[in-house]
Amino acid sequence: MPIDLPEGVYSGFSIYGDDVIVPGVSSLGEHWSSPRLKPVSKKLTNYTFMLQLEGECSFRINGIEEDLTNGSLLLISTGSIMERLDQKFSYNHSLWIGFSMRHALQDEPELLEAWEDFTYAKQQFMPKHKSLLKTIVNEHASPGRFSEKIASAAFQAFIYSIQELVHESPTVSAIPLELTQNPTVLLAIDLFEREYGDHWDLKKLAERLAVSESKLTKAFRTATGESPMASLWKIRLIKGYELLVSSSMNITQIAMLVGFQSSQSFATAFKRSFRATPRDVKTGNVQQVEPREFLKSHIVKDSIHSHV
């Protein structure tokens, strides 16, 4: 799949390629570009979205000159001719992503139709645009076990956010709220899914994510309706349920593996959440449920952590 911006309209250090982990995304990157480049034009092969973080750049887009300054957002449609003009600053710092709108909205034909006559838009970006784009870039640069899931969810949230921005019509995303509302929540849930057996408290989690405890708690309350620790206990209980069904380990071993201090604290939290004891599930005395679906509409009470 062709690359959109680098080594043509833009140049400099970047993270990009045709092996981006998000389906439909052909290229993405972060640029520090030099002004000592000859003007060049390029026909874009996909929709391209760019945030100008520092410096100033001048472009001609389909014959119309545009200056991008700090905080500018530029969304350009496929097939547009973009020409880089003389640069006015010694360097420019930008974030960008090239993607297939047709692929991104393949399950939303009516939404896709709204973009058919779109050419380009220049506005001021909002913090969420930068946060979502940073999440995609970071997951691509340092992939982990859940990177594809995280980056794909962030990208879909990104698509809906620019739909609102360009067409000024609120769109309800089908993506789970906790995976789109705030990238910090997204990263925290990823940590919990990978390191659920570790000792976590609010202070340690906030330090790991480089945010304040109050900001982290507020983000979780807004996105999921529960506290960070309640989300962790829920994940631990889900992992415990899955191990009770699939493994030969005893209940005490499972309790310790998923992060509980004792089998008793595990059993107390488990029964409160699943309306059954770990032993009942282990021996098959109750009908099995899909634990994630079962707990989706059940908020694990914050008080559970006092038993963990």
Side-chain angles (χ1 to χ4, degrees), residues 37-70:
L37 297 168
K38 296 179 180 179
V40 64
S41 64
K42 188 171 185 178
K43 185 175 182 179
L44 301 181
T45 56
N46 282 298
Y47 283 81
T48 298
F49 184 96
M50 185 164 61
L51 304 180
Q52 185 72 20
L53 303 179
E54 298 174 284
E56 183 175 341
C57 292
S58 297
F59 296 99
R60 184 179 290 116
I61 305 168
N62 294 335
I64 301 175
E65 292 192 13
E66 294 283 5
D67 291 328
L68 300 189
T69 56
N70 299 3

PDB file of all heavy atoms in Angstrom, residues 37-70:
ATOM      1  N   LEU A  37      14.443  22.148   1.789  1.00  0.00           N
ATOM      2  CA  LEU A  37      13.894  21.171   0.863  1.00  0.00           C
ATOM      3  C   LEU A  37      13.250  21.902  -0.309  1.00  0.00           C
ATOM      4  O   LEU A  37      12.619  22.940  -0.129  1.00  0.00           O
ATOM      5  CB  LEU A  37      12.838  20.303   1.562  1.00  0.00           C
ATOM      6  CG  LEU A  37      13.335  19.443   2.730  1.00  0.00           C
ATOM      7  CD1 LEU A  37      12.145  18.878   3.489  1.00  0.00           C
ATOM      8  CD2 LEU A  37      14.218  18.318   2.224  1.00  0.00           C
ATOM      9  N   LYS A  38      13.403  21.363  -1.484  1.00  0.00           N
ATOM     10  CA  LYS A  38      12.802  21.987  -2.653  1.00  0.00           C
ATOM     11  C   LYS A  38      11.288  21.777  -2.633  1.00  0.00           C
ATOM     12  O   LYS A  38      10.807  20.733  -2.206  1.00  0.00           O
ATOM     13  CB  LYS A  38      13.386  21.378  -3.927  1.00  0.00           C
ATOM     14  CG  LYS A  38      14.876  21.635  -4.113  1.00  0.00           C
ATOM     15  CD  LYS A  38      15.373  20.979  -5.392  1.00  0.00           C
ATOM     16  CE  LYS A  38      16.867  21.234  -5.581  1.00  0.00           C
ATOM     17  NZ  LYS A  38      17.378  20.583  -6.809  1.00  0.00           N
ATOM     18  N   PRO A  39      10.542  22.768  -3.106  1.00  0.00           N
ATOM     19  CA  PRO A  39       9.092  22.577  -3.212  1.00  0.00           C
ATOM     20  C   PRO A  39       8.778  21.351  -4.059  1.00  0.00           C
ATOM     21  O   PRO A  39       9.437  21.084  -5.062  1.00  0.00           O
ATOM     22  CB  PRO A  39       8.619  23.864  -3.890  1.00  0.00           C
ATOM     23  CG  PRO A  39       9.649  24.878  -3.506  1.00  0.00           C
ATOM     24  CD  PRO A  39      10.950  24.127  -3.494  1.00  0.00           C
ATOM     25  N   VAL A  40       7.796  20.583  -3.636  1.00  0.00           N
ATOM     26  CA  VAL A  40       7.442  19.365  -4.343  1.00  0.00           C
ATOM     27  C   VAL A  40       5.941  19.150  -4.210  1.00  0.00           C
ATOM     28  O   VAL A  40       5.328  19.580  -3.238  1.00  0.00           O
ATOM     29  CB  VAL A  40       8.213  18.152  -3.773  1.00  0.00           C
ATOM     30  CG1 VAL A  40       7.826  17.895  -2.334  1.00  0.00           C
ATOM     31  CG2 VAL A  40       7.996  16.909  -4.617  1.00  0.00           C
ATOM     32  N   SER A  41       5.331  18.530  -5.194  1.00  0.00           N
ATOM     33  CA  SER A  41       3.900  18.251  -5.123  1.00  0.00           C
ATOM     34  C   SER A  41       3.665  16.746  -5.198  1.00  0.00           C
ATOM     35  O   SER A  41       4.491  15.993  -5.717  1.00  0.00           O
ATOM     36  CB  SER A  41       3.151  18.952  -6.261  1.00  0.00           C
ATOM     37  OG  SER A  41       3.558  18.430  -7.509  1.00  0.00           O
ATOM     38  N   LYS A  42       2.534  16.329  -4.657  1.00  0.00           N
ATOM     39  CA  LYS A  42       2.214  14.909  -4.635  1.00  0.00           C
ATOM     40  C   LYS A  42       0.706  14.722  -4.622  1.00  0.00           C
ATOM     41  O   LYS A  42      -0.020  15.465  -3.960  1.00  0.00           O
ATOM     42  CB  LYS A  42       2.830  14.254  -3.390  1.00  0.00           C
ATOM     43  CG  LYS A  42       2.713  12.738  -3.365  1.00  0.00           C
ATOM     44  CD  LYS A  42       3.532  12.156  -2.223  1.00  0.00           C
ATOM     45  CE  LYS A  42       3.518  10.636  -2.289  1.00  0.00           C
ATOM     46  NZ  LYS A  42       4.343  10.042  -1.225  1.00  0.00           N
ATOM     47  N   LYS A  43       0.238  13.725  -5.356  1.00  0.00           N
ATOM     48  CA  LYS A  43      -1.175  13.369  -5.339  1.00  0.00           C
ATOM     49  C   LYS A  43      -1.386  12.326  -4.250  1.00  0.00           C
ATOM     50  O   LYS A  43      -0.764  11.264  -4.265  1.00  0.00           O
ATOM     51  CB  LYS A  43      -1.611  12.810  -6.690  1.00  0.00           C
ATOM     52  CG  LYS A  43      -3.108  12.521  -6.777  1.00  0.00           C
ATOM     53  CD  LYS A  43      -3.499  12.072  -8.181  1.00  0.00           C
ATOM     54  CE  LYS A  43      -4.993  11.841  -8.289  1.00  0.00           C
ATOM     55  NZ  LYS A  43      -5.391  11.432  -9.662  1.00  0.00           N
ATOM     56  N   LEU A  44      -2.258  12.632  -3.298  1.00  0.00           N
ATOM     57  CA  LEU A  44      -2.454  11.744  -2.161  1.00  0.00           C
ATOM     58  C   LEU A  44      -3.296  10.534  -2.553  1.00  0.00           C
ATOM     59  O   LEU A  44      -4.285  10.654  -3.272  1.00  0.00           O
ATOM     60  CB  LEU A  44      -3.131  12.500  -1.017  1.00  0.00           C
ATOM     61  CG  LEU A  44      -2.373  13.733  -0.508  1.00  0.00           C
ATOM     62  CD1 LEU A  44      -3.135  14.386   0.629  1.00  0.00           C
ATOM     63  CD2 LEU A  44      -0.968  13.362  -0.058  1.00  0.00           C
ATOM     64  N   THR A  45      -2.887   9.383  -2.059  1.00  0.00           N
ATOM     65  CA  THR A  45      -3.574   8.138  -2.403  1.00  0.00           C
ATOM     66  C   THR A  45      -4.610   7.732  -1.368  1.00  0.00           C
ATOM     67  O   THR A  45      -5.393   6.820  -1.593  1.00  0.00           O
ATOM     68  CB  THR A  45      -2.552   6.998  -2.552  1.00  0.00           C
ATOM     69  OG1 THR A  45      -1.801   6.887  -1.341  1.00  0.00           O
ATOM     70  CG2 THR A  45      -1.598   7.288  -3.697  1.00  0.00           C
ATOM     71  N   ASN A  46      -4.591   8.383  -0.205  1.00  0.00           N
ATOM     72  CA  ASN A  46      -5.566   8.105   0.844  1.00  0.00           C
ATOM     73  C   ASN A  46      -5.902   9.408   1.555  1.00  0.00           C
ATOM     74  O   ASN A  46      -5.247  10.424   1.352  1.00  0.00           O
ATOM     75  CB  ASN A  46      -5.004   7.112   1.869  1.00  0.00           C
ATOM     76  CG  ASN A  46      -5.029   5.682   1.370  1.00  0.00           C
ATOM     77  OD1 ASN A  46      -6.081   5.135   1.094  1.00  0.00           O
ATOM     78  ND2 ASN A  46      -3.861   5.085   1.245  1.00  0.00           N
ATOM     79  N   TYR A  47      -6.914   9.372   2.389  1.00  0.00           N
ATOM     80  CA  TYR A  47      -7.181  10.518   3.245  1.00  0.00           C
ATOM     81  C   TYR A  47      -5.971  10.734   4.144  1.00  0.00           C
ATOM     82  O   TYR A  47      -5.359   9.780   4.624  1.00  0.00           O
ATOM     83  CB  TYR A  47      -8.422  10.271   4.109  1.00  0.00           C
ATOM     84  CG  TYR A  47      -9.719  10.435   3.363  1.00  0.00           C
ATOM     85  CD1 TYR A  47     -10.211   9.406   2.572  1.00  0.00           C
ATOM     86  CD2 TYR A  47     -10.439  11.617   3.437  1.00  0.00           C
ATOM     87  CE1 TYR A  47     -11.400   9.547   1.872  1.00  0.00           C
ATOM     88  CE2 TYR A  47     -11.629  11.769   2.746  1.00  0.00           C
ATOM     89  CZ  TYR A  47     -12.102  10.733   1.963  1.00  0.00           C
ATOM     90  OH  TYR A  47     -13.276  10.882   1.274  1.00  0.00           O
ATOM     91  N   THR A  48      -5.621  11.985   4.369  1.00  0.00           N
ATOM     92  CA  THR A  48      -4.463  12.299   5.202  1.00  0.00           C
ATOM     93  C   THR A  48      -4.856  13.336   6.242  1.00  0.00           C
ATOM     94  O   THR A  48      -5.527  14.324   5.932  1.00  0.00           O
ATOM     95  CB  THR A  48      -3.304  12.832   4.342  1.00  0.00           C
ATOM     96  OG1 THR A  48      -2.915  11.816   3.416  1.00  0.00           O
ATOM     97  CG2 THR A  48      -2.117  13.186   5.208  1.00  0.00           C
ATOM     98  N   PHE A  49      -4.443  13.085   7.461  1.00  0.00           N
ATOM     99  CA  PHE A  49      -4.773  13.960   8.586  1.00  0.00           C
ATOM    100  C   PHE A  49      -3.464  14.400   9.221  1.00  0.00           C
ATOM    101  O   PHE A  49      -2.598  13.577   9.494  1.00  0.00           O
ATOM    102  CB  PHE A  49      -5.616  13.175   9.591  1.00  0.00           C
ATOM    103  CG  PHE A  49      -6.119  13.969  10.763  1.00  0.00           C
ATOM    104  CD1 PHE A  49      -7.387  14.516  10.744  1.00  0.00           C
ATOM    105  CD2 PHE A  49      -5.338  14.144  11.890  1.00  0.00           C
ATOM    106  CE1 PHE A  49      -7.875  15.227  11.833  1.00  0.00           C
ATOM    107  CE2 PHE A  49      -5.808  14.856  12.982  1.00  0.00           C
ATOM    108  CZ  PHE A  49      -7.085  15.397  12.952  1.00  0.00           C
ATOM    109  N   MET A  50      -3.293  15.702   9.448  1.00  0.00           N
ATOM    110  CA  MET A  50      -2.035  16.206   9.984  1.00  0.00           C
ATOM    111  C   MET A  50      -2.289  17.247  11.070  1.00  0.00           C
ATOM    112  O   MET A  50      -3.163  18.103  10.936  1.00  0.00           O
ATOM    113  CB  MET A  50      -1.197  16.828   8.861  1.00  0.00           C
ATOM    114  CG  MET A  50       0.187  17.268   9.283  1.00  0.00           C
ATOM    115  SD  MET A  50       1.264  17.544   7.864  1.00  0.00           S
ATOM    116  CE  MET A  50       0.376  18.845   7.014  1.00  0.00           C
ATOM    117  N   LEU A  51      -1.527  17.159  12.156  1.00  0.00           N
ATOM    118  CA  LEU A  51      -1.567  18.146  13.229  1.00  0.00           C
ATOM    119  C   LEU A  51      -0.241  18.889  13.244  1.00  0.00           C
ATOM    120  O   LEU A  51       0.823  18.265  13.294  1.00  0.00           O
ATOM    121  CB  LEU A  51      -1.761  17.467  14.592  1.00  0.00           C
ATOM    122  CG  LEU A  51      -2.969  16.555  14.772  1.00  0.00           C
ATOM    123  CD1 LEU A  51      -2.979  15.986  16.183  1.00  0.00           C
ATOM    124  CD2 LEU A  51      -4.258  17.297  14.504  1.00  0.00           C
ATOM    125  N   GLN A  52      -0.281  20.198  13.178  1.00  0.00           N
ATOM    126  CA  GLN A  52       0.935  21.012  13.243  1.00  0.00           C
ATOM    127  C   GLN A  52       1.166  21.403  14.696  1.00  0.00           C
ATOM    128  O   GLN A  52       0.402  22.178  15.271  1.00  0.00           O
ATOM    129  CB  GLN A  52       0.788  22.254  12.360  1.00  0.00           C
ATOM    130  CG  GLN A  52       2.044  23.098  12.254  1.00  0.00           C
ATOM    131  CD  GLN A  52       3.112  22.428  11.403  1.00  0.00           C
ATOM    132  OE1 GLN A  52       2.820  21.547  10.612  1.00  0.00           O
ATOM    133  NE2 GLN A  52       4.350  22.840  11.574  1.00  0.00           N
ATOM    134  N   LEU A  53       2.220  20.857  15.310  1.00  0.00           N
ATOM    135  CA  LEU A  53       2.473  21.083  16.728  1.00  0.00           C
ATOM    136  C   LEU A  53       3.384  22.277  16.976  1.00  0.00           C
ATOM    137  O   LEU A  53       3.225  23.008  17.950  1.00  0.00           O
ATOM    138  CB  LEU A  53       3.091  19.827  17.352  1.00  0.00           C
ATOM    139  CG  LEU A  53       2.268  18.542  17.199  1.00  0.00           C
ATOM    140  CD1 LEU A  53       3.003  17.377  17.828  1.00  0.00           C
ATOM    141  CD2 LEU A  53       0.894  18.702  17.814  1.00  0.00           C
ATOM    142  N   GLU A  54       4.385  22.456  16.112  1.00  0.00           N
ATOM    143  CA  GLU A  54       5.331  23.561  16.272  1.00  0.00           C
ATOM    144  C   GLU A  54       5.729  24.075  14.894  1.00  0.00           C
ATOM    145  O   GLU A  54       5.663  23.356  13.905  1.00  0.00           O
ATOM    146  CB  GLU A  54       6.589  23.099  17.015  1.00  0.00           C
ATOM    147  CG  GLU A  54       6.351  22.603  18.425  1.00  0.00           C
ATOM    148  CD  GLU A  54       7.618  22.032  19.028  1.00  0.00           C
ATOM    149  OE1 GLU A  54       7.992  20.911  18.667  1.00  0.00           O
ATOM    150  OE2 GLU A  54       8.229  22.729  19.857  1.00  0.00           O
ATOM    151  N   GLY A  55       6.184  25.318  14.852  1.00  0.00           N
ATOM    152  CA  GLY A  55       6.653  25.881  13.594  1.00  0.00           C
ATOM    153  C   GLY A  55       5.513  26.311  12.695  1.00  0.00           C
ATOM    154  O   GLY A  55       4.371  26.491  13.118  1.00  0.00           O
ATOM    155  N   GLU A  56       5.836  26.474  11.417  1.00  0.00           N
ATOM    156  CA  GLU A  56       4.842  26.924  10.448  1.00  0.00           C
ATOM    157  C   GLU A  56       5.191  26.345   9.084  1.00  0.00           C
ATOM    158  O   GLU A  56       6.362  26.302   8.694  1.00  0.00           O
ATOM    159  CB  GLU A  56       4.824  28.451  10.380  1.00  0.00           C
ATOM    160  CG  GLU A  56       3.765  29.021   9.456  1.00  0.00           C
ATOM    161  CD  GLU A  56       3.715  30.536   9.519  1.00  0.00           C
ATOM    162  OE1 GLU A  56       4.227  31.112  10.498  1.00  0.00           O
ATOM    163  OE2 GLU A  56       3.161  31.131   8.586  1.00  0.00           O
ATOM    164  N   CYS A  57       4.185  25.876   8.370  1.00  0.00           N
ATOM    165  CA  CYS A  57       4.386  25.294   7.044  1.00  0.00           C
ATOM    166  C   CYS A  57       3.417  25.920   6.053  1.00  0.00           C
ATOM    167  O   CYS A  57       2.299  26.285   6.412  1.00  0.00           O
ATOM    168  CB  CYS A  57       4.155  23.788   7.066  1.00  0.00           C
ATOM    169  SG  CYS A  57       5.367  22.874   8.000  1.00  0.00           S
ATOM    170  N   SER A  58       3.857  26.015   4.807  1.00  0.00           N
ATOM    171  CA  SER A  58       2.997  26.550   3.752  1.00  0.00           C
ATOM    172  C   SER A  58       2.776  25.478   2.694  1.00  0.00           C
ATOM    173  O   SER A  58       3.725  24.818   2.261  1.00  0.00           O
ATOM    174  CB  SER A  58       3.639  27.781   3.112  1.00  0.00           C
ATOM    175  OG  SER A  58       3.790  28.816   4.063  1.00  0.00           O
ATOM    176  N   PHE A  59       1.524  25.315   2.289  1.00  0.00           N
ATOM    177  CA  PHE A  59       1.164  24.327   1.284  1.00  0.00           C
ATOM    178  C   PHE A  59       0.237  24.951   0.247  1.00  0.00           C
ATOM    179  O   PHE A  59      -0.420  25.958   0.500  1.00  0.00           O
ATOM    180  CB  PHE A  59       0.432  23.134   1.925  1.00  0.00           C
ATOM    181  CG  PHE A  59       1.262  22.352   2.892  1.00  0.00           C
ATOM    182  CD1 PHE A  59       1.139  22.560   4.254  1.00  0.00           C
ATOM    183  CD2 PHE A  59       2.158  21.397   2.442  1.00  0.00           C
ATOM    184  CE1 PHE A  59       1.895  21.835   5.152  1.00  0.00           C
ATOM    185  CE2 PHE A  59       2.926  20.663   3.332  1.00  0.00           C
ATOM    186  CZ  PHE A  59       2.795  20.887   4.689  1.00  0.00           C
ATOM    187  N   ARG A  60       0.193  24.332  -0.903  1.00  0.00           N
ATOM    188  CA  ARG A  60      -0.834  24.640  -1.893  1.00  0.00           C
ATOM    189  C   ARG A  60      -1.627  23.360  -2.099  1.00  0.00           C
ATOM    190  O   ARG A  60      -1.075  22.334  -2.496  1.00  0.00           O
ATOM    191  CB  ARG A  60      -0.218  25.113  -3.207  1.00  0.00           C
ATOM    192  CG  ARG A  60      -1.274  25.550  -4.231  1.00  0.00           C
ATOM    193  CD  ARG A  60      -0.650  26.042  -5.528  1.00  0.00           C
ATOM    194  NE  ARG A  60       0.042  27.321  -5.338  1.00  0.00           N
ATOM    195  CZ  ARG A  60       1.353  27.490  -5.484  1.00  0.00           C
ATOM    196  NH1 ARG A  60       2.123  26.454  -5.817  1.00  0.00           N
ATOM    197  NH2 ARG A  60       1.910  28.674  -5.301  1.00  0.00           N
ATOM    198  N   ILE A  61      -2.918  23.413  -1.795  1.00  0.00           N
ATOM    199  CA  ILE A  61      -3.776  22.234  -1.873  1.00  0.00           C
ATOM    200  C   ILE A  61      -4.820  22.459  -2.953  1.00  0.00           C
ATOM    201  O   ILE A  61      -5.665  23.355  -2.839  1.00  0.00           O
ATOM    202  CB  ILE A  61      -4.459  21.959  -0.521  1.00  0.00           C
ATOM    203  CG1 ILE A  61      -3.403  21.838   0.584  1.00  0.00           C
ATOM    204  CG2 ILE A  61      -5.303  20.689  -0.587  1.00  0.00           C
ATOM    205  CD1 ILE A  61      -3.970  21.861   1.975  1.00  0.00           C
ATOM    206  N   ASN A  62      -4.717  21.684  -4.020  1.00  0.00           N
ATOM    207  CA  ASN A  62      -5.622  21.846  -5.166  1.00  0.00           C
ATOM    208  C   ASN A  62      -5.670  23.302  -5.627  1.00  0.00           C
ATOM    209  O   ASN A  62      -6.733  23.850  -5.942  1.00  0.00           O
ATOM    210  CB  ASN A  62      -7.027  21.353  -4.823  1.00  0.00           C
ATOM    211  CG  ASN A  62      -7.067  19.859  -4.569  1.00  0.00           C
ATOM    212  OD1 ASN A  62      -6.222  19.112  -5.053  1.00  0.00           O
ATOM    213  ND2 ASN A  62      -8.039  19.414  -3.796  1.00  0.00           N
ATOM    214  N   GLY A  63      -4.486  23.945  -5.621  1.00  0.00           N
ATOM    215  CA  GLY A  63      -4.367  25.305  -6.126  1.00  0.00           C
ATOM    216  C   GLY A  63      -4.606  26.393  -5.101  1.00  0.00           C
ATOM    217  O   GLY A  63      -4.439  27.577  -5.409  1.00  0.00           O
ATOM    218  N   ILE A  64      -4.984  26.046  -3.865  1.00  0.00           N
ATOM    219  CA  ILE A  64      -5.262  27.043  -2.828  1.00  0.00           C
ATOM    220  C   ILE A  64      -4.144  27.004  -1.787  1.00  0.00           C
ATOM    221  O   ILE A  64      -3.828  25.948  -1.248  1.00  0.00           O
ATOM    222  CB  ILE A  64      -6.615  26.770  -2.148  1.00  0.00           C
ATOM    223  CG1 ILE A  64      -7.743  26.805  -3.186  1.00  0.00           C
ATOM    224  CG2 ILE A  64      -6.879  27.787  -1.041  1.00  0.00           C
ATOM    225  CD1 ILE A  64      -9.098  26.429  -2.624  1.00  0.00           C
ATOM    226  N   GLU A  65      -3.535  28.167  -1.507  1.00  0.00           N
ATOM    227  CA  GLU A  65      -2.438  28.216  -0.546  1.00  0.00           C
ATOM    228  C   GLU A  65      -2.965  28.241   0.884  1.00  0.00           C
ATOM    229  O   GLU A  65      -3.933  28.937   1.192  1.00  0.00           O
ATOM    230  CB  GLU A  65      -1.557  29.443  -0.808  1.00  0.00           C
ATOM    231  CG  GLU A  65      -0.785  29.354  -2.115  1.00  0.00           C
ATOM    232  CD  GLU A  65       0.293  30.417  -2.235  1.00  0.00           C
ATOM    233  OE1 GLU A  65       0.599  31.066  -1.208  1.00  0.00           O
ATOM    234  OE2 GLU A  65       0.823  30.590  -3.347  1.00  0.00           O
ATOM    235  N   GLU A  66      -2.315  27.467   1.744  1.00  0.00           N
ATOM    236  CA  GLU A  66      -2.686  27.381   3.152  1.00  0.00           C
ATOM    237  C   GLU A  66      -1.432  27.429   4.013  1.00  0.00           C
ATOM    238  O   GLU A  66      -0.428  26.789   3.690  1.00  0.00           O
ATOM    239  CB  GLU A  66      -3.435  26.073   3.448  1.00  0.00           C
ATOM    240  CG  GLU A  66      -4.794  25.941   2.793  1.00  0.00           C
ATOM    241  CD  GLU A  66      -5.872  26.749   3.494  1.00  0.00           C
ATOM    242  OE1 GLU A  66      -5.537  27.488   4.449  1.00  0.00           O
ATOM    243  OE2 GLU A  66      -7.039  26.648   3.085  1.00  0.00           O
ATOM    244  N   ASP A  67      -1.485  28.194   5.103  1.00  0.00           N
ATOM    245  CA  ASP A  67      -0.407  28.210   6.087  1.00  0.00           C
ATOM    246  C   ASP A  67      -0.862  27.443   7.317  1.00  0.00           C
ATOM    247  O   ASP A  67      -1.949  27.693   7.849  1.00  0.00           O
ATOM    248  CB  ASP A  67      -0.051  29.642   6.496  1.00  0.00           C
ATOM    249  CG  ASP A  67       0.622  30.408   5.368  1.00  0.00           C
ATOM    250  OD1 ASP A  67       1.338  29.763   4.578  1.00  0.00           O
ATOM    251  OD2 ASP A  67       0.425  31.634   5.287  1.00  0.00           O
ATOM    252  N   LEU A  68      -0.037  26.512   7.759  1.00  0.00           N
ATOM    253  CA  LEU A  68      -0.329  25.774   8.985  1.00  0.00           C
ATOM    254  C   LEU A  68       0.557  26.309  10.099  1.00  0.00           C
ATOM    255  O   LEU A  68       1.778  26.361   9.956  1.00  0.00           O
ATOM    256  CB  LEU A  68      -0.062  24.280   8.800  1.00  0.00           C
ATOM    257  CG  LEU A  68      -0.849  23.537   7.727  1.00  0.00           C
ATOM    258  CD1 LEU A  68      -0.597  22.042   7.851  1.00  0.00           C
ATOM    259  CD2 LEU A  68      -2.332  23.829   7.821  1.00  0.00           C
ATOM    260  N   THR A  69      -0.052  26.713  11.196  1.00  0.00           N
ATOM    261  CA  THR A  69       0.692  27.191  12.351  1.00  0.00           C
ATOM    262  C   THR A  69       0.421  26.270  13.533  1.00  0.00           C
ATOM    263  O   THR A  69      -0.321  25.293  13.415  1.00  0.00           O
ATOM    264  CB  THR A  69       0.279  28.631  12.699  1.00  0.00           C
ATOM    265  OG1 THR A  69      -1.136  28.665  12.914  1.00  0.00           O
ATOM    266  CG2 THR A  69       0.620  29.584  11.563  1.00  0.00           C
ATOM    267  N   ASN A  70       1.036  26.593  14.681  1.00  0.00           N
ATOM    268  CA  ASN A  70       0.853  25.755  15.866  1.00  0.00           C
ATOM    269  C   ASN A  70      -0.629  25.515  16.140  1.00  0.00           C
ATOM    270  O   ASN A  70      -1.416  26.456  16.204  1.00  0.00           O
ATOM    271  CB  ASN A  70       1.461  26.434  17.096  1.00  0.00           C
ATOM    272  CG  ASN A  70       2.948  26.661  16.942  1.00  0.00           C
ATOM    273  OD1 ASN A  70       3.517  26.367  15.894  1.00  0.00           O
ATOM    274  ND2 ASN A  70       3.577  27.186  17.972  1.00  0.00           N
TER     275      ASN A  70
END
